[in-house]
Amino acid sequence: MSWIPFKIGQPKKQIVPKTVERDFEREYGKLQQLEEQTRRLQKDMKKSTDADLAMSKSAVKISLDLLSNPLCEQDQDLLNMVTALDTAMKRMDAFNQEKVNQIQKTVIEPLKNLSHRFGSVFPSLNMAVKRREQALQDYRRLQAKVEKYEEKEKTGPVLAKLHQAREELRPVREDFEAKNRQLLEEMPRFYGSRLDYFQPSFESLIRAQVVYYSEMHKIFGDLSHQLDQPGHSDEQRERENEAKLSELRALSIVADD
Amino acid sequence: MAKHGADEPSSRSGSPDREGRASEDRSLLHQRLAVRELIDTEVSYLHMLQLCASDIRSRLQQLPQGDLDVLFSNIDDIIKVNSRFLHDLQETASKEEEQVQLVGNIFLEFQEELEQVYKVYCASYDQALLLVDTYRKEPELQRHIQGIVEAVVPQAGSSGLSFLLVIPLQRITRYPLLLQKILENTVPDASAYPVLQRAVSALQDVNTNINEYKMRKEVASKYTKVEQLTLRERLARINTHTLSKKTTRLSQLLKQEAGLIPRTEDKEFDDLEERFQWVSLCVTELKNNVAAYLDNLQAFLYFRPHEYNLDIPEGPAVQYCNLARDLHLEAFLKFKQRLEGLVWQPLCSLAKALLGPQNLIKKRLDKLLDFERVEEKLLEVGSVTYQEEAARHTYQALNSLLVAELPQFNQLVMQWLGQIMCTFVTLQRDLAKQVLQRAEGSMAQLPHHHVPEPAFRKLVEDALGRTSNQLRSFQETFEKVQPPPTTQLLLPGSERQVQALLSRYGPGKLYQVTSNISGTGTLDLTLPRGQIVAILQNKDTKGNSGRWLVDTGGHRGYVPAGKLQLYHVVPSAEELRRQAGLNKDPRCLTPEPSPALVPSIPTVNQVIAAYPFVARSSHEVSLQAGQPVTILEAQDKKGNPEWSLVEVNGQRGYVPSGFLARARSPVLWGWSLPS
């Protein structure tokens, strides 16, 4: 038998204060923002470390190609320099790989995990929010029903229906309030706990840089010493380059342009 | 000065000494005059140069600076050198006896400088003449220039500028002649003689070298330019002449390949060329590799993880953001700029410089083939045409040019490459230092900065593991939020309907509507929330599994599957009903007679009091709405099912069965309804 739906009205009084709604939306919004930022951060970190690795590999290629040039066989000084350079580049590449591994383990993976968890929390969170919404609607509907009966003339059947309606309303109201309260508690807690997630990763990231760049400073410092490079300023170096170019251009076989 | 009485030619005439001495004196006089001439002409030469360089040049300001540079070339350098030269010459004037020897020595001293400075001037002289010609074509300009020249140097006459510009050429070619004149008037056994001889040949060498240099420069500038010709231009260039040249060269090459004629082996050149090829390879590879490195650096700087806002106001996250931002904006940027300026730019210049020699080497090979053919012809015929001679000459010029300059080129390039690589290393070191400074500063503010690295790594691992678990528990928290309880309470009047459906379809087929359904199509049903239906098909006629065909007990139609939820009915209720065989109060469900729960239902089926009830006797027990109760018997002592014996709050008593309802208890995790 088809059941004619009871006309559901809106309750007269505002059962959920605007501030509560606003709080709720704010907390939910913050979580959404956090989820998006985490996801994008993780992607960017991955791309950044990939570029870092590529840079290191191309540095290694520089010295490798130099080493394989036949000129090195003939010129001992050149060979020494290029060999020293090649050793340095290879060592740096190894340290870089180590650095990237550490970052992978302590930053990228946790971020991915976090993003994934956030991703999977959100369906559950959304479901919880929906259920709260559902509860709110039930609450509103039943509240309206109670108000409707309260307005009517207080006859016997009406009183009985009023009583029944009130009885129906109470659990629903309590359910909504419980859900609301829980979400309003849990969401900020969840949001607040992000500090626990991110701080170790970032600490690790900074430390990994220190380890790597210490090595880099030492290796290239030593190499620089070995190659007997005077400490010229950039202007001096530019002038040296100009001078060398002029020397080359002075040759007739070099085209002037 | 000739020594008296030494190595005199033996006099045979009557007064031999006097005659000899007379001719000696004459020679001496001529010698002195020649020296005098040298110095005097040097003075006026220098004066003329200075007039040109300062007076005339400054008045020709309306000409563009580029033109002036071509016209006057390195006249300032010439003036510098010749000033010192003159000064030294003039100093010898006091040294009477040794003057000639000193003069010779001065020439020898200045030989190198004179060559260096005059060869440049001479090489650009032709171009200067071309410019003068173009000026002649503009009457206004020509008059203006002529006016200036005549004002400063009246004796220039109508030839004007060209008269002036040729003067250094004339001078440098005159030195050997002047010296020769002095030499002729010097006694061979004089100590000055060998010096003078060397001076003469030295200055002759200077002139030869200047000519050679000029010719090489001409040949080089003809062939070093890499011409950017369009296809049309290239086609236009082809004429019978070029075609015949090319076919001749090709046939020459083929003959060589076939072994019909010997190939000119030039081991020296081949080695040189091979080395040049390796040097080229070095430069090209290095340039490409540095380009790749710069690209990757660029990509690295593109990603800015520190720009994401995680809303963390302090601690390592903030440290990291500040550090990364600093590094990106300063350390890495500076590194990139230095790399581009001090490594990349020079490499580009080097790569460009390679083109000239590469072209010349190619041309030389072409000309070599020409040369060989001409040599052949010479052997066969004994004479060659003018063009053939010229071809021969060109090859020789090219060859000697390359042989002379390639070694220097190779060496210069390798030296420069070495410098560039050293710079690269220094840049890396500087970058490391910059980053390290900042990173160490950041690290000092970290909470665990005092912890050594291995211990720290363990710490991080543990922390991450903990937070991972924490995350998971949050996820579970949210998953446990249950649907609202009212869904489970049945609407009035539906008990009978449910039983009917149950008996017709069985327990597994019953679903409850979770939210109001308003049907749109003719076959769609409109149902309120809470209604129980039985499923007939889990898809519609088109195969859409989101639309189910259901039976409400009175009507059949389609409803969206998403709004249905499986409805669990305890099977024993049915048995009870059949046993009792009575109509039930529409407001109640038959509660279980015993606490046997259906195992398939995961949640606890809780019976609760739907309405409050005040006990009126000691047999009855009071109820509060929502209170959970345990049903002991579903009927009273007389078998009347309208009353049930229940236990609630530790008390037992009878309550109206209609005041009881079964609700799926959302009891978990603090959601329990107040008792």
Side-chain angles (χ1 to χ4, degrees):
Chain A
M1 129 178 12
S2 67
W3 170 255
I4 300 162
F6 205 95
K7 276 288 196 271
I8 303 169
Q10 285 301 317
K12 296 282 168 58
K13 62 175 184 179
Q14 179 71 308
I15 51 177
V16 177
K18 274 210 168 26
T19 50
V20 171
E21 274 307 302
R22 211 184 45 221
D23 285 347
F24 193 86
E25 311 224 331
R26 189 190 59 223
E27 291 303 321
Y28 191 63
K30 282 204 303 200
L31 277 174
Q32 277 182 318
Q33 162 106 346
L34 185 61
E35 190 257 338
E36 195 202 330
Q37 294 286 297
T38 307
R39 187 168 31 92
R40 288 167 64 192
L41 172 63
Q42 187 255 331
K43 285 213 177 94
D44 250 20
M45 285 247 60
K46 182 84 182 54
K47 291 197 187 138
S48 177
T49 45
D50 284 345
D52 196 346
L53 278 174
M55 227 168 84
S56 196
K57 293 277 176 264
S58 49
V60 169
K61 187 161 194 293
I62 287 177
S63 57
L64 208 62
D65 281 347
L66 278 176
L67 204 51
S68 61
N69 192 302
L71 284 173
C72 279
E73 291 167 27
Q74 298 183 341
D75 188 338
Q76 188 62 37
D77 285 340
L78 182 65
L79 181 63
N80 290 344
M81 177 185 106
V82 174
T83 310
L85 185 68
D86 189 54
T87 310
M89 293 301 191
K90 290 205 170 98
R91 285 182 69 198
M92 281 323 303
D93 192 44
F95 280 119
N96 198 41
Q97 188 67 56
E98 215 184 277
K99 174 184 88 176
V100 165
N101 288 345
Q102 179 68 358
I103 292 177
Q104 184 78 21
K105 201 168 71 163
T106 58
V107 181
I108 296 180
E109 282 297 326
L111 276 178
K112 202 159 93 180
N113 198 21
L114 185 60
S115 189
H116 172 71
R117 290 268 178 224
F118 265 126
S120 32
V121 158
F122 266 86
S124 319
L125 179 58
N126 289 341
M127 182 61 92
V129 168
K130 230 176 26 180
R131 291 204 167 119
R132 171 196 174 268
E133 190 56 36
Q134 236 175 356
L136 182 58
Q137 282 189 30
D138 286 347
Y139 182 12
R140 283 207 172 105
R141 177 172 57 87
L142 291 177
Q143 176 73 20
K145 198 160 141 194
V146 165
E147 282 168 5
K148 181 173 116 63
Y149 281 127
E150 274 172 351
E151 281 165 15
K152 276 195 171 160
E153 204 189 319
K154 302 277 200 283
T155 62
V158 167
L159 275 176
K161 287 216 170 88
L162 176 60
H163 176 81
Q164 186 186 337
R166 282 206 186 115
E167 293 307 311
E168 275 185 65
L169 173 65
R170 189 152 33 93
V172 171
R173 184 187 63 231
E174 280 156 358
D175 176 54
F176 166 74
E177 280 168 0
K179 284 184 164 65
N180 193 47
R181 191 172 49 240
Q182 200 216 24
L183 282 175
L184 276 179
E185 275 172 18
E186 291 297 320
M187 284 201 290
R189 260 186 64 204
F190 187 25
Y191 187 73
S193 66
R194 73 193 180 293
L195 297 173
D196 294 338
Y197 307 146
F198 289 122
Q199 305 291 37
S201 292
F202 284 118
E203 229 189 303
S204 180
L205 190 53
I206 295 178
R207 289 180 72 121
Q209 309 286 347
V210 169
V211 166
Y212 174 74
Y213 282 101
S214 309
E215 290 300 331
M216 183 173 168
H217 188 225
K218 193 150 64 83
I219 288 178
F220 281 115
D222 287 347
L223 185 59
S224 197
H225 240 310
Q226 199 182 339
L227 297 176
D228 194 24
Q229 263 298 284
H232 285 166
S233 71
D234 282 4
E235 288 81 20
Q236 276 174 308
R237 283 184 211 274
E238 269 170 30
R239 276 201 295 269
E240 279 166 17
N241 283 330
E242 286 296 320
K244 277 276 184 280
L245 186 60
S246 303
E247 268 189 82
L248 270 179
R249 290 227 179 109
L251 292 176
S252 317
I253 60 176
V254 175
D256 315 312
D257 55 11
Chain B
M1 293 230 318
K3 259 202 286 204
H4 273 298
D7 299 6
E8 267 179 57
S10 47
S11 50
R12 290 187 190 90
S13 54
S15 44
D17 276 356
R18 238 182 295 125
E19 260 196 40
R21 218 171 289 126
S23 76
E24 240 182 61
D25 286 343
R26 251 203 322 276
S27 292
L28 203 56
L29 186 63
H30 284 310
Q31 191 196 54
R32 289 239 177 84
L33 282 176
V35 174
R36 183 92 250 135
E37 189 188 348
L38 170 66
I39 298 181
D40 285 346
T41 50
E42 187 70 23
V43 170
S44 60
Y45 167 64
L46 198 55
H47 177 67
M48 193 69 86
L49 282 183
Q50 277 157 345
L51 279 180
C52 276
S54 41
D55 290 33
I56 294 188
R57 181 159 62 174
S58 55
R59 286 184 215 191
L60 287 174
Q61 279 314 307
Q62 66 180 91
L63 295 174
Q65 184 60 36
D67 280 12
L68 288 176
D69 285 343
V70 170
L71 283 177
F72 293 103
S73 188
N74 63 339
I75 200 170
D76 300 310
D77 293 336
I78 293 182
I79 291 176
K80 276 199 206 123
V81 172
N82 275 88
S83 302
R84 278 187 288 125
F85 182 63
L86 177 60
H87 173 80
D88 286 0
L89 282 177
Q90 282 168 334
E91 286 211 323
T92 64
S94 49
K95 317 239 172 18
E96 290 203 3
E97 297 227 341
E98 300 146 338
Q99 186 176 26
V100 178
Q101 184 166 353
L102 286 172
V103 165
N105 277 325
I106 290 171
F107 269 98
L108 289 171
E109 265 174 48
F110 274 84
Q111 173 188 11
E112 185 65 38
E113 276 193 80
L114 287 172
E115 183 178 325
Q116 288 305 320
V117 99
Y118 277 89
K119 82 179 179 188
V120 173
Y121 186 89
C122 295
S124 65
Y125 175 70
D126 285 341
Q127 245 190 315
L129 274 190
L130 280 174
L131 259 186
V132 172
D133 262 344
T134 55
Y135 296 156
R136 253 188 243 281
K137 298 202 177 96
E138 289 177 49
E140 265 277 349
L141 186 58
Q142 176 59 14
R143 242 176 294 135
H144 174 77
I145 293 174
Q146 194 63 20
I148 293 174
V149 171
E150 280 174 7
V152 180
V153 183
Q155 66 264 42
S158 55
S159 20
L161 256 189
S162 43
F163 171 82
L164 293 174
L165 293 178
V166 84
I167 289 177
L169 263 78
Q170 290 171 337
R171 188 67 188 161
I172 191 72
T173 47
R174 196 136 174 242
Y175 285 138
L177 302 173
L178 287 170
L179 278 172
Q180 187 72 24
K181 206 159 166 199
I182 301 176
L183 183 68
E184 281 163 6
N185 290 302
T186 309
V187 179
D189 55 348
S191 60
Y193 195 84
V195 179
L196 280 176
Q197 266 187 318
R198 277 189 287 135
V200 169
S201 79
L203 267 294
Q204 280 167 345
D205 285 345
V206 165
N207 277 288
T208 316
N209 291 344
I210 289 176
N211 280 334
E212 177 80 11
Y213 178 78
K214 183 169 159 165
M215 188 171 59
R216 282 187 195 168
K217 259 240 169 310
E218 278 166 10
V219 156
S221 65
K222 184 172 172 201
Y223 292 118
T224 48
K225 297 272 187 286
V226 182
E227 296 190 78
Q228 306 286 358
L229 298 172
T230 63
L231 185 59
R232 183 173 296 183
E233 285 166 333
R234 282 188 208 271
L235 286 173
R237 285 245 183 126
I238 296 178
N239 53 31
T240 47
H241 175 66
T242 57
L243 275 176
S244 84
K245 252 205 310 197
K246 288 197 197 301
T247 23
T248 313
R249 282 190 195 139
L250 187 58
S251 74
Q252 189 75 3
L253 195 58
L254 289 172
K255 280 196 233 167
Q256 279 181 358
E257 296 289 329
L260 293 171
I261 49 171
R263 186 177 306 187
T264 312
E265 288 277 319
D266 188 343
K267 181 99 185 25
E268 186 195 352
F269 185 84
D270 288 343
D271 285 346
L272 209 49
E273 193 201 335
E274 191 182 45
R275 194 175 171 82
F276 170 76
Q277 297 302 349
W278 291 338
V279 168
S280 286
L281 183 67
C282 205
V283 169
T284 316
E285 276 184 342
L286 190 58
K287 180 172 167 231
N288 290 340
N289 287 337
V290 169
Y293 184 82
L294 275 171
D295 283 343
N296 288 327
L297 176 59
Q298 181 101 336
F300 175 73
L301 289 178
Y302 175 75
F303 300 111
R304 294 182 285 270
H306 50 279
E307 284 182 353
Y308 289 102
N309 179 20
L310 301 167
D311 192 23
I312 301 180
E314 54 177 16
V318 173
Q319 293 296 334
Y320 171 72
C321 281
N322 291 339
L323 176 66
R325 193 176 36 239
D326 255 350
L327 290 180
H328 264 62
L329 290 177
E330 291 180 25
F332 279 112
L333 196 63
K334 187 132 199 295
F335 172 67
K336 177 160 172 276
Q337 286 167 345
R338 289 176 87 199
L339 205 56
E340 283 170 343
L342 299 175
V343 174
W344 173 247
Q345 288 296 343
L347 281 173
C348 289
S349 305
L350 267 175
K352 255 201 274 191
L354 288 174
L355 297 174
Q358 273 169 355
N359 239 32
L360 282 178
I361 288 174
K362 247 191 296 191
K363 268 298 166 197
R364 172 199 167 271
L365 184 62
D366 289 343
K367 296 296 176 190
L368 177 58
L369 295 170
D370 293 347
F371 173 78
E372 286 167 343
R373 250 214 106 254
V374 169
E375 293 286 282
E376 269 176 43
K377 185 176 174 200
L378 199 58
L379 284 175
E380 291 166 17
V381 176
S383 69
V384 290
T385 65
Y386 177 69
Q387 284 98 326
E388 286 166 340
E389 185 62 44
R392 227 165 131 234
H393 199 60
T394 311
Y395 161 75
Q396 280 166 334
L398 268 177
N399 194 57
S400 64
L401 177 64
L402 283 169
V403 167
E405 292 199 342
L406 263 184
Q408 204 181 345
F409 180 85
N410 289 340
Q411 194 187 24
L412 273 174
V413 169
M414 289 317 291
Q415 269 177 357
W416 198 6
L417 274 183
Q419 265 184 0
I420 291 171
M421 286 320 297
C422 289
T423 306
F424 184 73
V425 168
T426 309
L427 290 184
Q428 298 278 359
R429 182 201 64 195
D430 290 347
L431 173 68
K433 182 153 143 208
Q434 288 284 312
V435 174
L436 198 56
Q437 259 175 358
R438 289 182 170 85
E440 276 176 342
S442 287
M443 176 151 158
Q445 299 177 42
L446 292 178
H448 300 104
H449 66 273
H450 50 282
V451 176
E453 191 65 19
F456 174 77
R457 292 198 183 186
K458 184 83 183 39
L459 259 177
V460 167
E461 224 180 287
D462 291 343
L464 289 174
R466 270 202 310 276
T467 56
S468 186
N469 291 336
Q470 207 179 342
L471 263 178
R472 210 173 315 126
S473 75
F474 268 118
Q475 190 176 339
E476 286 164 0
T477 303
F478 291 121
E479 276 170 357
K480 291 212 176 86
V481 174
Q482 289 296 317
T486 50
T487 327
Q488 303 306 313
L489 290 177
L490 282 185
L491 296 166
S494 54
E495 160 63 14
R496 206 173 302 155
Q497 173 219 15
V498 170
Q499 293 304 326
L501 286 175
L502 194 57
S503 56
R504 201 185 312 166
Y505 295 105
K509 293 271 200 276
L510 296 190
Y511 284 78
Q512 186 168 34
V513 177
T514 53
S515 61
N516 294 340
I517 298 175
S518 30
T520 47
T522 44
L523 293 173
D524 293 339
L525 293 177
T526 296
L527 301 175
R529 195 172 78 181
Q531 173 105 10
I532 305 293
V533 299
I535 178 177
L536 297 172
Q537 285 236 352
N538 61 359
K539 53 177 185 283
D540 66 6
T541 49
K542 296 201 186 93
N544 179 8
S545 58
R547 256 177 111 217
W548 289 359
L549 181 63
V550 299
D551 185 1
T552 64
H555 292 258
R556 291 187 181 191
Y558 289 100
V559 294
K563 290 191 174 178
L564 295 178
Q565 189 177 305
L566 195 61
Y567 184 73
H568 294 283
V569 181
V570 178
S572 52
E574 196 185 311
E575 290 165 39
L576 267 176
R577 193 182 128 262
R578 272 193 246 110
Q579 278 175 7
L582 290 172
N583 272 348
K584 293 295 159 205
D585 185 313
R587 271 183 304 156
C588 92
L589 289 173
T590 317
E592 305 159 80
S594 62
L597 290 170
V598 178
S600 62
I601 302 172
T603 54
V604 175
N605 257 328
Q606 183 84 10
V607 178
I608 59 168
Y611 311 108
F613 174 72
V614 177
R616 297 163 305 179
S617 68
S618 57
H619 299 291
E620 296 165 359
V621 67
S622 297
L623 294 178
Q624 288 174 19
Q627 217 173 358
V629 305
T630 314
I631 298 177
L632 303 174
E633 277 188 30
Q635 55 200 18
D636 70 5
K637 294 259 169 52
K638 300 201 188 86
N640 182 1
E642 298 224 350
W643 289 91
S644 302
L645 179 65
V646 301
E647 182 169 326
V648 60
N649 262 353
Q651 294 179 309
R652 290 189 184 193
Y654 285 97
V655 296
S657 304
F659 275 50
L660 296 174
R662 187 170 59 232
R664 210 170 290 173
S665 159
V667 157
L668 287 170
W669 209 274
W671 292 107
S672 52
L673 299 172
S675 50

